[in-house]
Amino acid sequence: MANDGAAFPGAAGFFDEAVDQQGHIRNHYRPVQEWFDRLTSAQVKALEERGNESFLRRGITFTVYGGEEGTERAWPMDLYPRIIEAGEWSIIERGLIQRVTALNRFLDDIYTGEQAVIHDGIVPRHLITSSTGFEREAMNVQVARGARCLVAGIDLVRGTNGGYRILEDNLRNPSGISYVLENRAAMTKLLPAAFSDLAVRSVNHYGRSLLRALRSIAPPASGNDPTVVVLTPGIFNSAYFEHAFLARSMGVELVEGRDLVVDNHMVAMRTTRGLERVDIIYRRIDDSFLDPVVFNPLSTLGVPGLMAAVRAGQVSIANSVGNGVGDDKAVYAYVPDMIRYYLGEDPIIPNVTTYLLWEPEQRAEVLERLGELVIKPVAESGGYGIVIGPKATEAQLDEVKEKIMSDPRNWIAQEVVNLSRLPAWAGDGFAPRHIDLRPFVLSGEQVEVIPGGLTRVALREGSLIVNSSQGGGSKDTWVLDDSNKPVEAPS
């Protein structure tokens, strides 16, 4: 198959993960590239179809609402893996541990501390209290080990010079880890020979690591064998597969709100043996639906009285209520300052250059450059509401300008990052497509970064939107452990 370096020439303005500027395959990609070179297009297509059929048969799907093709689709996995060298990964790992540690300290400071970050002028008070993710019900609710964000998904991008940057933080209910594990399982079956020349770090321990982290925040009354459950909104939720997968991988019960009751501030689940105490809830329900007593009274998804049980210290939930203030895209701009403030360190991985549109001077500059920037609503996820200036029409730019002027707090602007590229299957051959990376970070007795993460790929030619809900797919991410050579941190 004609897939040598010349097939994926490096392009000006993009960093190519697999190909250098001379058009040669990078050394750590060479074994995989040589393996694909031995396949015909028909063979690659057959492997892709086998993968899709396997995902559908096992219920590994993703739901897209409003699409003409229906809502249930096989999880889109591209066969060409992303490969990260050991030295490069060590820098990413240290940067993520640093960032999540600072964010946990920020959340604990805001909700149970002295709000020193506000009093010392690091983050403006109005920015926090006006965030839709800030929850007053979380005030003075203690969390063991300060692990308010027990599971974090941090989105990384790689710019033109190859340097990594943090694009956004996901601190509430970050999804995607089940697809990381299922991608790996699929790749080991579809392309077993491709692993033969590379020592790839395993991700199969995630269930054990998550369970250990959850048990580390158990309330004191739970004893030595605390009971953990995964709380799901139910089968109609787009991420239900992941909820069931995580419960199964940890060996714990998957429950819905109707399966739980609160009595005298103690949470119990209904079983065939009667009520059984629950000590830790890994919830996959948004704050507003979690407890109809204190949040949305119309919610049938949550558990009445749950927050009172949490406040009484009889049950722990992860992630904590109110984490949304930490991944507000306007608060994101202050995370480098949080790292310096709480840890006394410079950020290992920088942010993307960000403009806060509630500040008059920054807003005026952005409005002059709308066609050059990426405009984002601060509280949306899944790629919704984003306007990429260089690709937008005049009508789209006029519309977002009106929205900014009417509610500047709700918007930020960022410099365009020309996402790095990697070959992806385009139906009849491989072609370069843009990618990002979402590693997952667990905060328990120690902070642990799962090797690799979810590499998302924009399968549409020229697209910079990698979200599956917007036509993106995914790749298996291989972190190598066979190199101890130091790597300089990219600028």
Side-chain angles (χ1 to χ4, degrees):
M1 191 174 184
N3 278 336
D4 59 9
F8 316 119
F14 301 109
F15 180 85
D16 198 299
E17 302 277 345
V19 180
D20 64 22
Q21 291 181 330
Q22 288 72 45
H24 301 132
I25 294 293
R26 300 183 191 275
N27 287 337
H28 57 297
Y29 276 94
R30 192 170 297 281
V32 167
Q33 183 59 52
E34 289 174 350
W35 190 86
F36 276 110
D37 285 344
R38 294 193 290 269
L39 300 181
T40 66
S41 294
Q43 287 173 317
V44 176
K45 191 174 298 184
L47 286 171
E48 183 185 51
E49 290 173 356
R50 277 178 53 195
N52 288 337
E53 290 171 1
S54 174
F55 281 0
L56 276 175
R57 187 170 59 252
R58 296 172 56 206
I60 306 171
T61 59
F62 186 85
T63 304
V64 179
Y65 299 105
E68 295 179 359
E69 301 174 19
T71 60
E72 202 75 10
R73 302 177 186 175
W75 176 249
M77 184 195 74
D78 184 74
L79 293 172
Y80 200 104
R82 180 190 203 141
I83 304 173
I84 301 175
E85 293 181 288
E88 183 180 306
W89 177 251
S90 69
I91 296 170
I92 295 172
E93 185 175 45
R94 287 190 291 112
L96 295 177
I97 290 172
Q98 178 194 62
R99 190 175 185 95
V100 171
T101 299
L103 283 164
N104 267 319
R105 292 193 185 181
F106 164 72
L107 291 167
D108 220 36
D109 184 17
I110 290 299
Y111 287 117
T112 62
E114 300 177 351
Q115 298 190 338
V117 73
I118 295 174
H119 299 312
D120 289 342
I122 307 302
V123 182
R125 179 182 297 276
H126 74 86
L127 190 66
I128 293 171
T129 57
S130 64
S131 172
T132 58
F134 177 70
E135 292 289 356
R136 286 171 174 78
E137 288 294 333
M139 295 299 297
N140 300 315
V141 176
Q142 299 291 332
V143 176
R145 306 180 187 280
R148 307 192 77 91
C149 180
L150 189 134
V151 182
I154 309 297
D155 291 348
L156 295 171
V157 294
R158 208 169 188 185
T160 305
N161 67 352
Y164 285 96
R165 290 181 178 269
I166 305 289
L167 185 64
E168 63 180 54
D169 306 293
N170 299 281
L171 310 181
R172 285 171 281 186
N173 291 301
S175 62
I177 187 63
S178 62
Y179 302 118
V180 172
L181 304 183
E182 290 290 3
N183 282 356
R184 178 61 54 83
M187 289 288 282
T188 55
K189 293 176 181 177
L190 293 170
L191 310 176
F195 285 89
S196 60
D197 294 329
L198 294 171
V200 181
R201 291 180 61 181
S202 174
V203 294
N204 294 334
H205 62 286
Y206 181 80
R208 298 190 301 274
S209 291
L210 176 58
L211 183 60
R212 185 167 56 247
L214 287 166
R215 284 180 167 168
S216 76
I217 62 166
S222 62
N224 296 326
D225 189 22
T227 298
V228 178
V229 298
V230 176
L231 176 61
T232 176
I235 61 173
F236 297 108
N237 185 268
S238 62
Y240 180 76
F241 164 77
E242 175 155 297
H243 306 163
F245 178 94
L246 291 172
R248 187 169 62 252
S249 68
M250 288 190 288
V252 305
E253 295 291 334
L254 178 69
V255 300
E256 298 182 27
R258 61 190 176 184
D259 299 319
L260 302 179
V261 295
V262 178
D263 183 23
N264 195 28
H265 294 163
M266 187 183 79
V267 180
M269 64 175 161
R270 296 183 173 93
T271 74
T272 56
R273 303 174 301 279
L275 293 178
E276 180 180 339
R277 177 178 173 130
V278 170
D279 303 299
I280 305 143
I281 300 174
Y282 181 32
R283 55 78 175 242
R284 299 300 296 261
I285 293 177
D286 291 343
D287 288 355
S288 58
F289 299 103
L290 194 57
D291 182 346
V293 174
V294 297
F295 297 121
N296 183 349
L298 301 179
S299 172
T300 60
L301 301 178
V303 185
L306 179 58
M307 284 305 298
V310 172
R311 192 173 290 279
Q314 294 298 309
V315 69
S316 299
I317 62 173
N319 283 340
S320 297
V321 168
N323 278 10
V325 69
D327 61 22
D328 183 303
K329 291 180 178 64
V331 174
Y332 153 96
Y334 291 88
V335 177
D337 292 330
M338 294 179 199
I339 292 171
R340 298 183 184 97
Y341 179 70
Y342 291 113
L343 306 182
E345 302 169 357
D346 286 329
I348 295 171
I349 309 176
N351 278 11
V352 173
T353 303
T354 302
Y355 303 95
L356 300 170
L357 302 188
W358 52 269
E359 292 194 349
E361 290 185 6
Q362 294 188 40
R363 183 170 65 249
E365 178 183 350
V366 166
L367 292 178
E368 288 291 323
R369 300 179 55 213
L370 271 184
E372 305 171 17
L373 303 171
V374 177
I375 314 299
K376 296 181 178 180
V378 299
E380 290 285 351
S381 60
Y384 293 104
I386 293 176
V387 176
I388 300 177
K391 294 181 179 293
T393 65
E394 286 298 323
Q396 289 172 322
L397 293 176
D398 289 342
E399 181 182 1
V400 77
K401 180 177 181 179
E402 288 185 17
K403 291 178 178 178
I404 291 170
M405 295 302 294
S406 64
D407 186 12
R409 166 62 179 84
N410 192 46
W411 296 87
I412 63 164
Q414 293 180 324
E415 297 289 346
V416 174
V417 178
N418 291 324
L419 305 185
S420 61
R421 308 186 315 175
L422 195 60
W425 184 249
D428 56 0
F430 286 101
R433 294 290 186 265
H434 296 291
I435 59 173
D436 77 349
L437 177 64
R438 175 177 290 182
F440 291 86
V441 186
L442 299 176
S443 299
E445 293 181 357
Q446 59 185 15
V447 184
E448 177 185 1
V449 185
I450 304 305
L454 184 64
T455 289
R456 300 182 296 180
V457 53
L459 294 175
R460 296 171 182 167
E461 184 177 3
S463 175
L464 295 174
I465 304 294
V466 298
N467 306 79
S468 296
S469 56
Q470 305 290 309
S474 68
K475 290 174 173 288
D476 194 11
T477 306
W478 298 359
V479 174
L480 305 182
D481 67 359
D482 59 349
S483 172
N484 294 312
K485 296 179 181 179
V487 175
E488 291 297 323
S491 59

